[in-house]
């Protein structure tokens, strides 16, 4: 994967330098953060690979970090990653549209409408604009490249929202936990100052494991996507009644008050991300 990325990267650096300009600061590739939604019948939440929210008792870190932790805990949400030294959190640049493609060939007939329904809610809660780039035959892949060459030059890959059969979901090459029915794998890039930006993601749903009770059914595609799109926007799990960001969704079918507070926090209300994390001079994308 590394060799392939590096090979691709030479062209990317060139393309970005041409189309978007250089001098955007060093960018180090962050670790992928994979967050799962476990099935309602699962015995216990599966520990995710993400750091857990820091408890109130922990007074370590800077004042800014403590302040942001306090806000999240008080409001009832959690960030994908702990806040950095200046209190910054991993999120999208909410000032530019987020493009997504969908692979719903094997999903229920309502799949495309369910996705649009859930996207509309996360868009409203964050103030971010999402652009439907249409259907794709692309399959999710842990080795998916984060950048694409388009007619306009190199761009971050669109978010891939894919419904796959159970055999694929639990097959080789995907991050899915044994008990999960969906997961989100955002790509987060960090700069040297610790600022981190989500730039693309894969949202993968086990089409054989979802139920078909519509938007009032916690196990159906719509509410499942509300939970996953919470991850997509930058939220982690919370253990608080009434929030859909509980590890198993908590039987909730809409965003709760903490969910909405978190989506608001990572959204447009907190301004644009100043320096887009373009991989022009990172180790992953050498010139
Ligand atoms: Zn989850």
């Amino acid at each position: 994967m590394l060799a392939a990325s590096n090979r691709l990267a030479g062209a990317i650096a060139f393309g970005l330098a041409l189309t978007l300009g250089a001098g955007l600061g060093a960018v180090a590739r962050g670790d992928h953060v994979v967050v799962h939604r476990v099935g309602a019948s699962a015995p216990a939440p599966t520990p995710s690979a993400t750091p857990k929210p820091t408890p109130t008792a922990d007074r370590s870190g800077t004042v800014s970090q403590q302040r942001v932790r306090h806000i999240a805990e008080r409001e009832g949400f959690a960030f994908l990653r702990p806040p950095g030294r200046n209190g910054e959190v991993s999120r999208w640049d909410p000032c530019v549209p987020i493009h997504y493609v969908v692979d719903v060939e094997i999903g229920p007939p309502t799949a495309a409408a369910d996705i649009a329904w859930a996207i509309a809610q996360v868009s409203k809660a964050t103030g971010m604009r999402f652009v439907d780039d249409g259907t794709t035959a692309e399959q999710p892949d842990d080795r998916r490249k984060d950048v694409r060459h388009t007619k306009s030059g190199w761009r971050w890959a669109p978010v891939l929202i894919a419904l796959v059969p159970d055999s694929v979901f639990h097959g080789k090459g995907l991050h899915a936990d044994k008990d999960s029915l969906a997961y989100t794998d955002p790509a987060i890039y960090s700069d040297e100052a610790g600022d981190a930006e989500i730039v693309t993601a894969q949202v993968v749903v086990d089409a054989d494991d979802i139920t078909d009770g519509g938007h009032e059914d916690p196990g159906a595609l719509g509410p499942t996507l509300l939970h996953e799109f919470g991850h997509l926007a930058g939220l982690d799990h919370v253990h608080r009644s009434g929030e859909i960001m509980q590890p198993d969704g908590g039987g909730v079918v809409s965003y709760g008050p903490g969910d909405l507070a978190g989506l608001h926090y990572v959204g447009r209300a907190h301004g644009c991300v100043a320096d887009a994390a373009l991989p022009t001079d990172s180790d992953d994308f050498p010139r």
Side-chain angles (χ1 to χ4, degrees):
M1 178 184 176
L2 188 61
S5 295
N6 286 343
R7 196 168 59 243
L8 185 63
I12 292 162
F14 179 69
L16 287 175
L18 272 184
T19 58
L20 297 166
L24 288 155
V27 177
R29 172 64 192 276
D31 293 333
H32 276 226
V33 179
V34 184
V35 271
H36 299 82
R37 187 186 201 218
V38 298
S41 60
T46 307
S48 80
T50 52
K52 290 297 165 214
T54 309
T56 308
D58 184 353
R59 290 298 172 213
S60 63
T62 65
V63 172
S64 296
Q65 286 172 315
Q66 291 177 33
R67 180 178 163 276
V68 175
R69 282 184 206 138
H70 175 76
I71 292 170
E73 180 148 339
R74 182 190 68 202
E75 302 289 334
F77 64 89
F79 298 108
L80 278 181
R81 285 178 169 179
R85 293 188 58 78
N86 296 321
E88 71 281 3
V89 299
S90 300
R91 62 193 190 110
W92 293 82
D93 179 356
C95 301
V96 299
I98 297 169
H99 290 260
Y100 67 93
V101 292
V102 299
D103 178 358
V104 293
E105 197 173 351
I106 67 152
T110 60
D114 291 337
I115 291 170
W117 173 83
I119 285 283
Q121 293 189 58
V122 74
S123 178
K124 183 180 177 188
T126 57
M128 302 193 304
R129 190 159 80 85
F130 291 81
V131 177
D132 182 357
D133 283 353
T135 55
T136 179
E138 183 183 357
Q139 292 288 305
D141 189 327
D142 288 354
R143 299 165 300 167
R144 185 179 193 240
K145 297 188 187 309
D146 297 331
V147 288
R148 291 290 155 82
H149 192 259
T150 72
K151 289 175 185 169
S152 310
W154 290 95
R155 294 286 182 269
W156 295 112
V159 173
L160 172 63
I161 303 167
L163 276 69
V164 299
D166 191 70
S167 57
V168 171
F169 190 81
H170 292 296
K172 288 180 179 172
L174 294 189
H175 275 306
D177 284 346
K178 189 165 79 63
D179 296 322
S180 66
L181 59 83
Y183 72 86
T184 298
D185 181 7
I188 301 173
Y189 282 71
S190 305
D191 65 18
E192 288 174 334
D195 292 332
E197 184 181 0
I198 307 171
V199 293
T200 186
Q202 299 180 83
V203 178
V204 186
V205 178
D206 184 342
D208 294 324
D209 232 8
I210 54 172
T211 52
D212 57 1
H215 297 166
E216 299 305 314
D217 175 357
L221 182 58
T224 297
L225 288 174
L226 288 184
H227 175 99
E228 295 308 325
F229 291 169
H231 293 315
L232 173 67
L235 301 184
D236 199 359
H237 292 146
V238 291
H239 295 275
R240 185 182 289 211
S241 173
E243 309 295 353
I244 208 166
M245 293 315 293
Q246 292 173 85
D248 65 354
V252 179
V253 296
S254 59
Y255 287 129
D259 301 324
L260 290 171
L263 292 169
H264 185 261
Y265 194 100
V266 297
R268 185 127 193 171
H270 274 80
C272 307
V273 173
D275 289 323
L278 293 168
T280 50
D281 55 359
S282 75
D283 291 340
D284 284 340
F285 300 96
R287 293 176 190 281

